[in-house]
Amino acid sequence: MDKYLSETITLIKTNLPTHSYLREVVFLDKIHEIKAYQVLDSRGNPTIKVVIKTKKHIGYAFVPSGASTGLYEAVELRDNKKAYNGKGVEKTVDIINKKINKQLKGIKVTEQEEVDLELKRLDATENKSKIGANTILGVSLAVSRAAAQAKDKELYEYLAELFKNKKKLMLPIPQANVLNGGEHAGNYLKFQEFLLIPTGAKSFAEAMRMVGETYHVLKKIIDDKFGINATNVGDEGGFAPPIRTPEEALELVSEAITKAGYKRKIRIGMDVAASSLYNENEYDIGVSFSAKGLTSYYDRLFSKYDIKSIEDPFEQDDNEAWQEFMNTVAKKRRVQVVGDDLTVSNPHRVRRAINNNLCNAIILKPNQIGTLTETLKAAEMAFDAGWEVIVSHRSGDTEDTYISDLAVGIGASQIKLGAPCRGERTSKYNRLIEIEANLKKKGYAGKKVKF
Ligand code: PGA
Ligand code: ZN
């Protein structure tokens, strides 16, 4: 039966007055209309924007898209037609405007779990490939924004409530990707990301100042060494100079940190994205390494440079390598070991990583799993295991600032947002600056992390 009709019948049955004012109040926070649009992401590829309306509120969300996607990520639905070289998302738009709009109409926007269950039911596949994780995520996130409005809360306040986060709200430490390689840049550097982690700041605003200054010092160093052409930026706003080895990258980043005056106040992170380098038990980083050889190589890098965090150091199914690394090198050097392709924000993959002691932190990307409910579940599991959570953008992203609120709401100690450059990255940094300025009781996670 139509949900409006059944509500009305219930009202009549229970003898409540069906006066139009009351009906307005009762239906106020229910989904009235869902509409999707095909728009563009930061790489110039199509993605969707979803807008959800109740009679009084509006929620929206954009969906990002990765390049170095993990094998176990939920799957995007693309048109595979002539438009946009197959990357169009008109099918997605159509499913939302017709099927999902009809199915979810009448559900309260504050019923996040019910909405997400309904979306999963419509898909009914393990990896959300039927109607698409992009389709599902756009709706799932937009609903929560409408719910925040319905509750007259900031999005981060609402997400904190949904996550049952009772701690004092805290601003995350940024992980700023200032040097790009791998699948994000047109150079020969195999490691994907070299990140600035300003643990020594006292506030988020100060962290941004440190990152911004160091970024410009780095630009000058690259310009002096390689010429102005080498200061063009990769997908996430980091520089992509013509270098080949991780050592060259680490020298550049270390020099920039020192020259900017932030030695030991900005630590270094790396996202190796090793699944992209793996082939038949070998890791190709310019030279070929076995997992054991790569482990020793990391140890040498840790002894020489101020690296405190390493993401996806091994392939997503190379359990033995992760375990060995955790028990030896990472323990000795007290390095944060981060799962991304390994864990894909999927509660099952996170559970598996916890049970096997594969890492001690996870990247949290809502579009890897597709619903807000499952994203929060993955975060909860990681926190319960005593792990760090790093909320993260994708290399193809948009002006949407949702993940900034998500990081604050769940109390993530870190957030990975690219360089302090390009609108789709700065929008998220700027939202965090605004949140910090408006919070009455605020904290910065700098002291909280173990490194
Ligand atoms: P992606 O890269 O968005 O292209 O997957 C980001 C990452 O690997 O962390
Ligand atoms: Zn990664």
Side-chain angles (χ1 to χ4, degrees):
M1 194 191 313
D2 174 75
K3 290 206 169 81
Y4 277 105
L5 187 60
S6 80
E7 286 282 350
T8 313
I9 291 171
T10 316
L11 280 176
I12 294 166
K13 273 192 189 154
T14 50
N15 281 334
L16 280 171
T18 50
H19 184 275
S20 65
Y21 171 74
L22 182 73
R23 247 194 339 262
E24 272 285 282
V25 172
V26 171
F27 293 137
L28 228 44
D29 57 356
K30 302 205 163 165
I31 295 174
H32 177 63
E33 187 191 32
I34 308 182
K35 198 158 182 214
Y37 305 85
Q38 174 171 271
V39 295
L40 292 179
D41 75 12
S42 58
R43 269 196 281 257
N45 290 325
T47 187
I48 52 162
K49 177 182 184 183
V50 180
V51 177
I52 296 191
K53 291 184 185 166
T54 67
K55 283 279 176 68
K56 204 176 164 211
H57 317 100
I58 298 186
Y60 71 93
F62 291 75
V63 175
S65 177
S68 64
T69 46
L71 193 60
Y72 300 99
E73 288 192 27
V75 176
E76 289 176 340
L77 185 70
R78 299 263 176 200
D79 295 342
N80 297 317
K81 294 218 177 106
K82 191 158 172 275
Y84 289 108
N85 302 316
K87 287 185 180 287
V89 288
E90 294 290 8
K91 261 193 243 168
T92 302
V93 168
D94 200 52
I95 293 171
I96 294 174
N97 289 349
K98 293 184 183 144
K99 217 188 221 164
I100 295 181
N101 183 37
K102 193 165 154 224
Q103 193 74 16
L104 298 190
K105 210 170 185 156
I107 300 182
K108 281 185 177 184
V109 285
T110 46
E111 294 297 334
Q112 187 69 42
E113 284 189 18
E114 187 184 343
V115 167
D116 288 345
L117 267 178
E118 208 50 61
L119 290 166
K120 279 177 72 173
R121 227 174 269 142
L122 274 174
D123 181 83
T125 66
E126 191 66 32
N127 59 2
K128 304 194 175 69
S129 54
K130 187 168 165 222
I131 64 169
N134 46 346
T135 314
I136 293 173
L137 185 72
V139 176
S140 182
L141 299 187
V143 161
S144 66
R145 259 208 178 101
Q149 255 195 31
K151 293 204 157 198
D152 201 17
K153 285 182 188 284
E154 288 279 354
L155 180 58
Y156 63 83
E157 289 172 330
Y158 174 64
L159 292 172
E161 179 188 303
L162 207 57
F163 195 60
K164 301 187 178 70
N165 176 10
K166 302 227 166 57
K167 291 174 281 184
K168 182 175 88 172
L169 292 182
M170 170 183 79
L171 271 293
I173 305 166
Q175 287 205 1
N177 178 12
V178 292
L179 224 145
N180 295 186
E183 300 196 20
H184 293 171
N187 58 10
Y188 293 104
L189 182 62
K190 296 278 187 172
F191 285 16
Q192 185 176 280
E193 299 171 17
F194 293 84
L195 306 133
L196 303 179
I197 314 182
T199 52
K202 292 199 175 57
S203 65
F204 187 80
E206 192 188 348
M208 284 321 296
R209 178 187 155 181
M210 288 161 64
V211 165
E213 288 175 4
T214 309
Y215 181 69
H216 285 285
V217 172
L218 179 61
K219 182 172 183 178
K220 175 86 177 43
I221 294 170
I222 293 172
D223 186 0
D224 288 347
K225 282 203 166 86
F226 304 101
I228 193 72
N229 281 342
T231 59
N232 295 327
V233 299
D235 284 357
E236 297 184 351
F239 301 112
I243 54 175
R244 287 178 182 267
T245 67
E247 284 92 338
E248 286 173 281
L250 289 162
E251 286 295 334
L252 289 172
V253 171
S254 305
E255 188 184 336
I257 292 172
T258 306
K259 276 201 175 141
Y262 295 123
K263 201 170 175 183
R264 297 257 148 196
K265 286 189 158 182
I266 294 182
R267 321 307 291 258
I268 300 173
M270 295 194 299
D271 181 3
V272 178
S275 295
S276 338
L277 313 174
Y278 182 80
N279 190 19
E280 292 184 5
N281 297 320
E282 297 271 303
Y283 291 88
D284 173 15
I285 69 154
V287 289
S288 261
F289 275 128
S290 65
K292 253 196 168 43
L294 192 57
T295 304
S296 317
Y297 177 66
Y298 289 142
D299 195 31
R300 289 198 293 282
L301 292 183
F302 296 156
S303 72
K304 196 158 172 217
Y305 302 99
D306 190 23
I307 302 165
K308 285 289 157 196
S309 180
I310 185 164
E311 182 178 328
D312 280 348
F314 302 98
E315 198 265 347
Q316 56 222 330
D317 284 323
D318 199 348
N319 272 11
E320 220 177 282
W322 283 85
Q323 234 163 21
E324 175 72 14
F325 183 66
M326 276 293 286
N327 291 332
T328 57
V329 175
K331 198 182 230 171
K332 181 172 79 179
R333 304 282 181 195
R334 303 189 64 218
V335 175
Q336 173 175 269
V337 182
V338 187
D340 175 17
D341 291 349
L342 176 79
T343 39
V344 291
S345 312
N346 180 325
H348 299 298
R349 295 282 299 179
V350 174
R351 169 62 54 219
R352 178 180 165 278
I354 292 169
N355 290 346
N356 294 294
N357 186 36
L358 303 184
C359 51
N360 55 28
I362 62 161
I363 285 285
L364 195 70
K365 295 168 172 167
N367 86 319
Q368 284 181 321
I369 184 68
T371 65
L372 177 60
T373 304
E374 288 164 290
T375 305
L376 296 181
K377 184 78 204 156
E380 186 191 333
M381 277 180 176
F383 281 133
D384 285 350
W387 288 7
E388 301 292 339
V389 172
I390 305 155
V391 172
S392 169
H393 66 165
R394 299 306 305 242
S395 52
D397 217 294
T398 72
E399 58 269 40
D400 197 341
T401 58
Y402 191 98
I403 58 170
S404 302
D405 287 70
L406 177 64
V408 175
I410 66 171
S413 67
Q414 294 152 74
I415 188 164
K416 194 168 88 149
L417 295 178
C421 164
R422 299 179 54 132
E424 76 281 4
R425 317 292 153 190
T426 53
S427 60
K428 296 166 183 60
Y429 283 125
N430 293 343
R431 171 67 181 151
L432 285 163
I433 289 172
E434 184 186 327
I435 292 175
E436 179 171 68
N438 290 335
L439 273 179
K440 287 201 184 74
K441 279 192 194 159
K442 47 190 155 248
Y444 175 66
K447 282 206 192 77
K448 189 192 161 274
V449 292
K450 293 166 205 117
F451 48 83

